[in-house]
Amino acid sequence: MPRQFFVGGNFKMNPASLAAKRSLLSALAGAELDPATEVVVAPPALYLLPAQAILRSAGSPVKLAAQNCSQEKDGAFTGEISPLQLADAEIPYVILGHSERRTLFGESSALVAAKTRAALAAGLRVILCVGETLAEREAGSTLAVVSAQLRAAVDVLDAGSWEKVVVAYEPVWAIGTGKVASAAQAQEVHKEVRAFLAAEVTPGVADATRVIYGGSVSAKNCAELAAQPDIDGFLVGGASLKPEFVQIVNVNRK
Ligand code: PGA
């Protein structure tokens, strides 16, 4: 089975108003999107339910993701959102381990793995982010860093769970910097991610798991990246807030 192309839009803590959010989502719901591509957008948690109402009333196939969730089911965890609550609200996806969570909020790979396990147990699908910093790339440790981040998840998930995981390779130095990884640099890591999954989970899982690229993806650079054999889509930050997001979604459209 070929892997279905996947494009995610990570709105991060943007835009600043519900009105702006409405117009962004209405434009997306009204756009002609490649039906062969799975499209998922991640607004801030506060806007997930209004976004769901907008997309549903427009009959849009665009799905929603939360940008984070707790590893706990319920209880005294002020400020957190449980994966069970996301599932109950019919939000199908959650982004976990984004580099901004890892670096700005101190999330370790073990915590990201625990969250991944909890989210999958709640019935969510997970966009699991991995990626190296510039210093790590320059030290030649890209593959070691990415493997260690994946290893934490492999250690707590059974092989069957990977069906609901999309791996996002996002080199930290490419996120929000306008400095995109070259198609060859991205393909090299994606191929290694697949080899890692083949060796550490199963070859079947490696073959079926979508490995998407994130980091300054734009309408200009997406076609060359999408043409790489191991790049199965994108996680888009800044450009997901702009009309060019539709062009990125439609990159494979004939
Ligand atoms: P960017 O962000 O496209 O703005 O670089 C990507 C991401 O953080 O997922």
Side-chain angles (χ1 to χ4, degrees):
M1 272 261 290
R3 298 180 291 270
Q4 187 186 17
F5 204 74
F6 181 106
V7 177
N10 176 9
F11 294 176
K12 310 193 179 183
M13 206 167 70
N14 300 299
S17 73
L18 187 54
K21 185 76 61 194
R22 276 189 205 292
S23 65
L24 187 63
L25 288 164
S26 302
L28 191 58
E32 271 199 45
L33 303 178
D34 184 346
T37 292
E38 183 174 15
V39 185
V40 176
V41 293
L46 175 66
Y47 299 127
L48 283 166
L49 290 177
Q52 184 183 67
I54 292 168
L55 294 169
R56 282 188 178 168
S57 71
S60 169
V62 173
K63 297 172 191 154
L64 288 164
Q67 296 176 12
N68 182 28
C69 73
S70 174
Q71 73 278 26
E72 304 290 346
K73 288 196 187 86
D74 54 28
F77 300 102
T78 301
E80 292 291 284
I81 296 179
S82 152
L84 288 175
Q85 293 166 337
L86 292 173
D88 179 57
E90 298 178 14
I91 304 303
Y93 274 94
V94 60
I95 298 172
L96 292 173
H98 189 279
S99 71
E100 287 150 21
R101 301 292 323 166
R102 291 178 189 264
T103 58
L104 304 176
F105 300 95
E107 292 195 7
S108 65
S109 291
L111 177 62
V112 173
K115 288 183 173 199
T116 302
R117 190 175 142 124
L120 294 169
L124 299 177
R125 293 176 176 270
V126 173
I127 301 165
L128 174 63
C129 303
V130 295
E132 82 288 1
T133 62
L134 185 59
E136 288 163 343
R137 174 162 282 265
E138 285 173 348
S141 45
T142 297
L143 298 177
V145 168
V146 169
S147 302
Q149 290 169 338
L150 285 172
R151 153 81 45 215
V154 166
D155 283 350
V156 300
L157 301 184
D158 54 46
S161 311
W162 285 87
E163 191 193 333
K164 292 195 166 179
V165 177
V166 174
V167 176
Y169 168 57
E170 300 205 298
V172 179
W173 47 272
I175 295 178
T177 57
K179 225 196 228 179
V180 67
S182 70
Q185 280 174 322
Q187 166 59 23
E188 184 194 11
V189 180
H190 283 232
K191 196 171 162 208
E192 291 294 338
V193 166
R194 217 176 291 291
F196 180 87
L197 293 175
E200 305 297 330
V201 191
T202 67
V205 163
D207 200 40
T209 301
R210 271 109 32 110
V211 185
I212 63 175
Y213 169 80
S216 298
V217 174
S218 68
K220 279 205 190 82
N221 58 35
C222 64
E224 198 190 347
L225 289 159
Q228 302 304 310
D230 289 296
I231 298 183
D232 305 313
F234 304 115
L235 186 56
V236 184
S240 69
L241 300 164
K242 300 181 190 157
E244 74 179 285
F245 185 60
V246 172
Q247 283 165 264
I248 298 170
V249 167
N250 289 337
V251 64
N252 294 325
R253 202 164 183 184
K254 304 285 179 290

